[in-house]
Amino acid sequence: MSILTQRLATLQLHPEVLGKSLRGIEKEGLRVDATGTLSKRSHPSALGSALTHPRITTDYSEALLELITGTHSNVDSLMAELNEVHRVVASTLSDELMWNHSMPAHLPADNEIPIGWYGTSNTGMIKHVYRRGLAERYGRTMQCIAGLHYNFSFDESLWELLDLPQPTAQERRSAGYIALIRNFTRYSWLLMYLFGASPAVSKDFLRGKTGELQELDAQTMYLPYATSLRMSDLGYQNKAQSGLKLCYNDLNTFLERLYDAVTTPWPDYQAIGTHRHGEWIQLNTNVLQIENEFYSSIRPKRTTGPCERPITALAERGIQYIEVRCLDIDPTQPTGISAETARFVDAFVLFCALQESPPFTDSGWCPESAANFARVVKQGREPGLMLSKLGQPMPLKQWADELLDEIAQCAETLDGTLKEKDYKTAVLSQRAKVADPTKTPSAQFLEQLIARKLSFHDFTLEQSAEHAQSLKKTGLSPAELAATQAQATQSLMEQQELEANDQESFDAYVARFHQALKKPT
């Protein structure tokens, strides 16, 4: 009997454990005008403060909305809240709409893309300066790529049932999540094949650097077998991070390497400096300004207190949940993700937690996994595509079928313990995509562009407008509208209070922020 089968049998004896799992979503999307061009307007005050609103904020750009749900014990309530917050945005925006694709709409010149503004409080300014630093390091255009992050946590009792060898509950929890992350790194190519939905991009976005991409029409570039150009090397690539292969064999080693990255100067960033014309332009000149600048497909997470650094929080209290960061926005869904996809991710994460997860070799990094992921995002639908499994060639189709067999066992356990029937169906639906690559979202997207003779931009604008209209038509109930307005008003008041109560200069605040970082021990 495999470790996976043994652990599933144990969980089936304790059905309450999986019912205490929590999941939440953060979904990004650009505000655009009626022509699908990036908005240069400020974040709408009717949506509240981007700094203090619990559900509606912005990411890199002032125009890059980020919609955040609370945590939910089941997928149906999660999707209901995600739909509600989308209805809030659609009903509030008058002559703008939310771009519903991972790859950007038409953008102005790089230096004209507005950076997120969060007011004059020290808390708001540190978010703004960090984003100015991203502009200096990577350019603003790349920061307009959007995604959907899926956050997931297991109840503490799960790690006790797995009988992990670590001496304390906190250490067992962190070791369990780190093992999950290792397996996610090994197998996340499957998510890109099944759910990647960005095989094409506007030529406008590339700024003349088309590289290996092919022309689909006068405005659109693509790769014929790509699944997710968003997660390819079109995304966040730079010399400073290229050598940053963080170890997922144990939490302490991971944190030590992350600490080195946020405290080690990088010559190119030193040449830029932290100030220009007397204004802050980046928080420091290190490989990473802060921990969030490390780009990866999954992150270990822990909620932080005021001025607390993620490294310190993780070192002192351990991992609390994981953040899945590689999911493309599903352009066919008004909320960017279907309930079926969410259930598959639940089952996939459970599989990663329960499956045997041997340590990585080669200094804690697994180059084979990185190569498989990179191959699938660019060539995933290529006939006969081979991946590498423990150094041996393996057909993608064969490996995907093997993984789905095991994930299906996890789905059956979820259905049984949660008294549902949809998890097994969610996994079963993916088998058709493995059998026939034309059924994948990436293939379907390209098929629509070709059949309708529409550019990436025009097709996505049309879809986004239809979704916005559908959400507006449903609208908000009187109770939802009242709660929405109260939440927006409250967030604006909280921002004003922050700005009024700052007792130190921004320079002193930045110094205190850096000093709050403690070296992991």
Side-chain angles (χ1 to χ4, degrees):
M1 184 183 293
S2 70
I3 286 181
L4 176 65
T5 305
Q6 292 174 22
R7 288 175 166 177
L8 285 171
T10 301
L11 273 178
Q12 288 160 10
L13 297 175
H14 301 272
E16 74 284 354
V17 173
L18 292 180
K20 296 177 183 177
S21 299
L22 296 174
R23 71 274 293 144
I25 285 175
E26 303 161 35
K27 190 254 189 173
E28 299 164 346
L30 294 168
R31 279 187 297 113
V32 300
D33 65 18
T35 69
T37 300
L38 184 78
S39 174
K40 292 185 180 180
R41 296 179 185 173
S42 298
H43 183 70
S45 60
L47 292 176
S49 164
L51 178 64
T52 55
H53 198 292
R55 300 202 298 175
I56 303 172
T57 182
T58 58
D59 197 325
Y60 172 77
S61 174
E62 185 75 351
L64 183 56
L65 289 167
E66 182 174 354
L67 310 186
I68 304 167
T69 72
T71 55
H72 294 261
S73 60
N74 64 79
V75 167
D76 287 340
S77 63
L78 169 67
M79 298 303 296
E81 185 184 4
L82 187 63
N83 181 273
E84 180 191 343
V85 72
H86 274 79
R87 284 185 283 116
V88 169
V89 170
S91 300
T92 302
L93 298 179
S94 54
D95 55 349
E96 293 183 338
L97 54 84
M98 195 171 179
W99 187 256
N100 201 46
H101 200 282
S102 285
M103 301 311 287
H106 283 168
L107 302 174
D110 189 84
N111 63 0
E112 295 178 3
I113 295 171
I115 296 173
W117 176 250
Y118 304 92
T120 59
S121 71
N122 288 331
T123 307
M125 284 301 299
I126 206 163
K127 290 171 68 75
H128 176 71
V129 172
Y130 166 60
R131 285 155 175 76
R132 294 189 71 173
L134 296 178
E136 295 289 335
R137 296 169 176 223
Y138 311 99
R140 302 186 185 191
T141 298
M142 290 297 175
Q143 308 297 318
C144 292
I145 297 173
L148 185 144
H149 300 164
Y150 198 88
N151 301 318
F152 194 96
S153 69
F154 290 104
D155 186 69
E156 191 88 12
S157 57
L158 175 81
W159 311 116
E160 303 304 317
L161 289 175
L162 298 191
D163 197 25
L164 299 174
Q166 287 72 22
T168 69
Q170 178 177 313
E171 289 172 316
R172 285 191 288 274
R173 175 178 12 96
S174 290
Y177 279 122
I178 286 291
L180 184 166
I181 290 171
R182 279 199 303 274
N183 276 337
F184 186 94
T185 304
R186 289 183 175 102
Y187 307 126
S188 54
W189 60 263
L190 180 63
L191 294 180
M192 306 321 300
Y193 177 83
L194 295 175
F195 304 113
S198 55
V201 62
S202 282
K203 191 179 292 187
D204 170 72
F205 165 78
L206 299 169
R207 311 291 190 190
K209 299 177 181 178
T210 55
E212 62 188 303
L213 299 185
Q214 300 175 26
E215 188 174 276
L216 187 65
D217 59 47
Q219 297 180 48
T220 308
M221 303 297 291
Y222 81 119
L223 284 176
Y225 301 116
T227 62
S228 177
L229 293 179
R230 164 181 169 260
M231 294 303 297
S232 75
D233 52 13
L234 277 177
Y236 303 106
Q237 302 289 320
N238 75 329
K239 290 181 181 179
Q241 285 204 34
S242 63
L244 191 59
K245 307 300 185 187
L246 300 188
C247 175
Y248 287 118
N249 282 340
D250 63 86
L251 179 59
N252 283 345
T253 304
F254 169 79
L255 294 177
E256 286 169 3
R257 294 186 181 182
L258 189 57
Y259 177 87
D260 288 343
V262 296
T263 56
T264 302
W266 184 257
D268 289 351
Y269 303 155
Q270 287 180 303
I272 295 170
T274 57
H275 289 72
R276 183 178 297 140
H277 307 307
E279 292 186 351
W280 282 86
I281 57 170
Q282 56 179 343
L283 292 174
N284 55 49
T285 59
N286 299 329
V287 174
L288 303 177
Q289 296 175 89
I290 59 175
E291 296 89 325
N292 284 354
E293 194 175 336
F294 172 57
Y295 299 115
S296 62
S297 59
I298 186 170
R299 284 179 183 165
K301 299 282 283 189
R302 156 68 59 182
T303 54
T304 57
C307 212
E308 185 180 29
R309 299 291 293 266
I311 286 175
T312 304
L314 285 166
E316 292 181 350
R317 302 191 297 283
I319 301 172
Q320 182 181 14
Y321 65 97
I322 52 101
E323 178 186 51
V324 174
R325 298 170 52 81
C326 60
L327 291 174
D328 280 352
I329 291 166
D330 182 347
T332 69
Q333 298 293 317
T335 59
I337 186 173
S338 68
E340 181 176 272
T341 299
R343 285 190 170 89
F344 183 87
V345 174
D346 281 3
F348 182 79
V349 168
L350 179 60
F351 162 73
C352 290
L354 301 184
Q355 178 62 290
E356 185 176 9
S357 181
F360 281 149
T361 57
D362 195 15
S363 301
W365 181 246
C366 186
E368 181 182 68
S369 298
N372 286 337
F373 189 91
R375 191 170 294 123
V376 172
V377 298
K378 282 190 172 181
Q379 305 165 242
R381 290 177 287 105
E382 184 177 298
L385 182 67
M386 305 292 286
L387 302 179
S388 177
K389 184 180 181 182
L390 297 175
Q392 299 300 313
M394 168 75 82
L396 178 148
K397 184 180 183 303
Q398 178 184 342
W399 197 359
D401 281 332
E402 290 177 4
L403 288 173
L404 288 177
D405 287 343
E406 295 177 310
I407 297 166
Q409 296 178 49
C410 297
E412 288 183 19
T413 300
L414 284 164
D415 277 335
T417 57
L418 301 180
K419 308 300 182 188
E420 290 195 26
K421 61 182 186 304
D422 295 325
Y423 277 97
K424 187 176 179 180
T425 302
V427 176
L428 186 62
S429 296
Q430 309 314 313
R431 293 190 182 275
K433 300 177 186 176
V434 176
D436 182 0
T438 66
K439 297 185 183 299
T440 58
S442 53
Q444 294 284 303
F445 187 81
L446 286 177
E447 183 182 314
Q448 286 287 312
L449 297 188
I450 294 167
R452 299 191 57 201
K453 298 180 180 179
L454 288 174
S455 68
F456 164 84
H457 180 85
D458 290 346
F459 179 64
T460 303
L461 177 59
E462 181 182 286
Q463 273 196 320
S464 300
E466 288 173 357
H467 291 324
Q469 193 59 38
S470 171
L471 292 163
K472 282 183 179 180
K473 186 175 181 180
T474 304
L476 299 168
S477 69
E480 288 173 331
L481 180 60
T484 292
Q485 292 172 338
Q487 201 167 47
T489 300
Q490 178 66 26
S491 69
L492 292 168
M493 291 173 58
E494 288 174 3
Q495 179 179 327
Q496 291 172 357
E497 289 175 10
L498 283 173
E499 291 172 351
N501 293 332
D502 275 341
Q503 300 296 315
E504 61 185 334
S505 69
F506 183 62
D507 288 2
Y509 184 82
V510 172
R512 186 160 62 88
F513 177 77
H514 290 320
Q515 290 165 3
L517 180 64
K518 299 176 184 177
K519 186 175 178 64
T521 56

